[in-house]
Amino acid sequence: MVRVPLTEAERERGERLGALLRAARGPRSMAEVATEAGISVETLRKIETGRIPTPAFFTVVAVADTVGLPLEALREATTGAAVR
């Protein structure tokens, strides 16, 4: 299966998502957050740096829940759209 290359907008959205999750993590270590979210530290690192610009939904939910970030905030930050 050949994967369609991401657009520049998709890459930028992934970088915004990663930056938001990193900021929400605050002083907590990557290891602590990853363990609590049930993912590997390497997966969290890749998401935070934008190297996984389209992470799985349930992975994002787990990380957001762990760092106390509402999904609405993620949506607004990555799409610019306010939740109605």
Side-chain angles (χ1 to χ4, degrees):
M1 181 173 162
V2 176
R3 185 171 231 190
V4 176
L6 296 171
T7 66
E8 185 62 30
E10 290 168 327
R11 283 191 291 279
E12 289 173 2
R13 184 181 63 214
E15 290 172 2
R16 286 192 308 272
L17 170 66
L20 183 61
L21 290 173
R22 168 60 190 101
R25 179 166 58 86
R28 295 174 66 185
S29 73
M30 284 183 127
E32 177 186 349
V33 170
T35 299
E36 191 174 329
I39 63 173
S40 71
V41 174
E42 186 59 22
T43 297
L44 181 57
R45 180 178 292 110
K46 287 177 180 178
I47 292 170
E48 285 188 358
T49 60
R51 289 179 44 218
I52 301 179
T54 57
F57 174 76
F58 292 104
T59 301
V60 174
V61 169
V63 174
D65 187 48
T66 298
V67 298
L69 188 63
L71 292 180
E72 293 83 15
L74 288 174
R75 180 172 182 246
E76 289 178 16
T78 58
T79 66
V83 178
R84 296 174 198 192

